[in-house]
Amino acid sequence: MEEERDSETMAQEAVENADVLKTYVEGLEGKSRRSRQQAAHVLGLVAQKDASLLAPYCNDLVDALNRPEAQTRWEILDILTELIPTESRSCEKAILGAETALFDEDSGQVRLAAMKFLCALGATTENRSEKVWSLIDEGIQCYHGDLEFQDMLVAVTDFSAGKLAPSVKEALAARMKFDAESGKGGLKKKAQQIVDNVS
């Protein structure tokens, strides 16, 4: 708990002081895994307070998706997801990093963060929906039944309500048809909602 409050204090300082914020962004390139994770965590808290402060650092954030440790990558993907409404063009550069994260074999949290990012980005325009659909589709197939799948479906439901290309709507409806008809409980409900959204 002590460390959490500490991170909160650090994030508040970064919100109030541009130089402090820049130090944390530079920390994403730090030599130690721990310092990179700490920097990513603080920046994640900054993004929750005011994501626009991180807009000038989109390229640094995209670059940080190349770090080996899971926590840095999921924190960064969460930040980029927050930035999509205002910085969608810059966030597009993160598709490759998000693709790698989506198929991370060791971390469910990284996979979930990648799915959320891709769904949020894909929902912004028809063109982007076409760009990311094959990844989202593969994610739905790969992680069906995994622990994170229900949360992934929440992201896919939001995606289904976005500005999707007609071909993507059609493919998404086809992908979810089986679960909408034969699924159980929450899965069936969400799948039906997705099918309804794209019909």
Side-chain angles (χ1 to χ4, degrees), residues 156-157 159-162 164-166 168-174 176 191-199:
V156 176
T157 306
F159 173 70
S160 71
L164 309 189
V168 173
K169 286 185 177 184
E170 210 174 294
L172 180 54
M176 299 313 295
Q192 188 57 58
Q193 192 184 340
I194 291 167
V195 171
D196 291 346
N197 283 350
V198 293
S199 297

Side-chain angles (χ1 to χ4, degrees), residues 10 40 73 81 91 94 96-97 101 111 115 120-121 140 175 180:
M10 292 151 90
R73 287 179 292 137
T81 303
C91 289
L96 196 62
R111 295 193 296 266
M115 183 64 113
L121 185 68
I140 292 169
R175 171 63 57 220

Side-chain angles (χ1 to χ4, degrees), residues 115-127:
M115 183 64 113
K116 286 179 174 174
F117 170 80
L118 291 165
C119 286
L121 185 68
T124 55
T125 67
E126 290 191 7
N127 184 14

Side-chain angles (χ1 to χ4, degrees), residues 20-31:
V20 173
L21 181 65
K22 193 167 191 277
T23 306
Y24 287 116
V25 174
E26 287 164 357
L28 294 172
E29 292 185 51
K31 296 243 184 295

Side-chain angles (χ1 to χ4, degrees), residues 86-106:
T86 55
E87 304 296 324
S88 55
R89 191 168 287 157
S90 299
C91 289
E92 242 181 285
K93 298 174 191 160
I95 291 175
L96 196 62
E99 177 179 359
T100 305
L102 185 63
F103 302 108
D104 185 299
E105 288 179 13
D106 302 319

Side-chain angles (χ1 to χ4, degrees), residues 113-168:
M115 183 64 113
K116 286 179 174 174
F117 170 80
L118 291 165
C119 286
L121 185 68
T124 55
T125 67
E126 290 191 7
N127 184 14
R128 287 193 191 112
S129 76
E130 290 173 323
K131 259 187 197 171
V132 300
W133 165 244
S134 64
L135 296 173
I136 293 170
D137 187 32
E138 206 174 330
I140 292 169
Q141 294 173 72
C142 284
Y143 305 123
H144 201 285
D146 278 19
L147 204 56
E148 305 80 32
F149 190 66
Q150 286 295 342
D151 290 329
M152 285 185 176
L153 267 192
V154 173
V156 176
T157 306
D158 292 343
F159 173 70
S160 71
K163 299 184 181 116
L164 309 189
S167 62
V168 173

Side-chain angles (χ1 to χ4, degrees), residues 21-119:
L21 181 65
K22 193 167 191 277
T23 306
Y24 287 116
V25 174
E26 287 164 357
L28 294 172
E29 292 185 51
K31 296 243 184 295
S32 86
R33 176 184 59 81
R34 190 167 167 72
S35 66
R36 292 191 300 266
Q37 284 176 189
Q38 177 72 33
H41 183 58
V42 171
L43 292 173
L45 295 171
V46 169
Q48 287 167 23
K49 294 172 191 290
D50 184 357
S52 68
L53 293 171
L54 293 166
Y57 300 110
C58 268
N59 289 338
D60 302 278
L61 296 169
V62 171
D63 179 62
L65 291 177
N66 297 316
R67 303 300 169 264
E69 65 280 353
Q71 186 186 340
T72 299
R73 287 179 292 137
W74 88 59
E75 300 261 19
I76 295 301
L77 282 161
D78 288 348
I79 295 168
L80 289 166
T81 303
E82 293 277 338
L83 284 168
I84 287 168
T86 55
E87 304 296 324
S88 55
R89 191 168 287 157
S90 299
C91 289
E92 242 181 285
K93 298 174 191 160
I95 291 175
L96 196 62
E99 177 179 359
T100 305
L102 185 63
F103 302 108
D104 185 299
E105 288 179 13
D106 302 319
S107 172
Q109 206 163 344
V110 170
R111 295 193 296 266
L112 177 58
M115 183 64 113
K116 286 179 174 174
F117 170 80
L118 291 165
C119 286

